[in-house]
Amino acid sequence: MKRLLSLIAVLSVALAACGEPSPEAMQLSYSLTSGDEFQYEVGLEQHIEMTASGDAAMLAGEDVPGEASVDIAGTATFTHAISDGPEVGTHEVHITGEFADVSVTGTADGEPVDSSEIPDFAAMDPIDVTVVVDEQGNIIHEGGDSEDPLGGMLGGLGALGGGANPAPGLDPGKFVGPPLPDEEVTVGDTWTDEVETPGLSEDPITTSNTSTVTGAEELDGVEVLVI
């Protein structure tokens, strides 16, 4: 099964000092305050190539076709409401939103997919989750009405249908920004973190997430780092 996902989120981090063309190295952290509310407009484009047979077909269930080649596109606005976390230095982020404008094209088991009747394996459930993050954006705890908000895609196949730990910015039901490094960084610096999620076999799926500070720009009169 081949799955390509493109979901774009823009992240900029305000600098402590302004007017520096090449800012000095500094340690980054998220400045979240209880009562804050942020809205993100998200565009989703996904291509699914899928073949299921034998044990894989039985595991997938009756709602998943034996073969499918499908393109999915949608837009939505997601709200992140901030409140104090259970411990000092942590924050709760309540994330809500729904892909209401979704189009699906392609074939399933050789038959054209009707975009007016989105099949179960391509559906996108409403998102209502709460995550707890620390000041560096590391996920401390997550939970909510939908443990896998994009699980409708591919019939809820766990890590293959959205995953417990997709790359930051690739799942609107997760905290938008990447985990920030413990050390100081400046323009050009890169850091990487890895997450493992259970696969359909005994071997876990390992995802390597790489973040790079690509430059310093001015946004609404404030100098920011772009990651």
Side-chain angles (χ1 to χ4, degrees), residues 126-163:
I127 291 174
D128 188 347
V129 299
T130 299
V131 300
V132 177
V133 299
D134 64 15
E135 294 178 339
Q136 270 65 51
N138 296 298
I139 301 295
I140 305 301
H141 173 76
E142 58 185 315
D145 293 340
S146 177
E147 288 295 326
D148 185 359
L150 302 186
M153 302 175 185
L154 311 182
L157 293 180
L160 294 177

Side-chain angles (χ1 to χ4, degrees), residues 3 5 44 99 123-124 127 146 148-153 161-162 170-172:
R3 179 174 181 268
L5 177 64
L44 174 72
F99 281 95
M124 287 179 279
I127 291 174
S146 177
D148 185 359
L150 302 186
M153 302 175 185
L170 294 185
D171 184 342

Side-chain angles (χ1 to χ4, degrees), residues 45-219:
E45 294 181 1
Q46 176 166 348
H47 177 71
I48 298 174
E49 290 278 352
M50 181 172 58
T51 301
S53 61
D55 293 340
M58 294 178 61
L59 179 62
E62 296 180 358
D63 293 333
V64 178
E67 294 183 351
S69 178
V70 176
D71 290 287
I72 304 169
T75 58
T77 298
F78 291 88
T79 299
H80 290 218
I82 311 300
S83 58
D84 291 332
E87 300 177 2
V88 175
T90 66
H91 307 275
E92 285 192 354
V93 184
H94 184 204
I95 305 170
T96 54
E98 181 175 3
F99 281 95
D101 182 15
V102 178
S103 64
V104 179
T105 57
T107 61
D109 287 334
E111 297 294 328
V113 175
D114 185 352
S115 190
S116 64
E117 298 180 1
I118 299 175
D120 290 343
F121 76 92
M124 287 179 279
D125 296 332
I127 291 174
D128 188 347
V129 299
T130 299
V131 300
V132 177
V133 299
D134 64 15
E135 294 178 339
Q136 270 65 51
N138 296 298
I139 301 295
I140 305 301
H141 173 76
E142 58 185 315
D145 293 340
S146 177
E147 288 295 326
D148 185 359
L150 302 186
M153 302 175 185
L154 311 182
L157 293 180
L160 294 177
N165 293 290
L170 294 185
D171 184 342
K174 304 292 184 180
F175 186 64
V176 168
L180 300 174
D182 293 331
E183 66 274 7
E184 295 182 340
V185 295
T186 188
V187 175
D189 287 344
T190 295
W191 62 96
T192 300
D193 65 286
E194 291 187 348
V195 293
E196 289 190 351
T197 55
L200 295 180
S201 64
E202 295 181 357
D203 297 328
I205 298 172
T206 300
T207 302
S208 178
N209 304 320
T210 299
S211 302
T212 302
V213 183
T214 59
E217 301 178 1
E218 186 173 294
L219 180 66

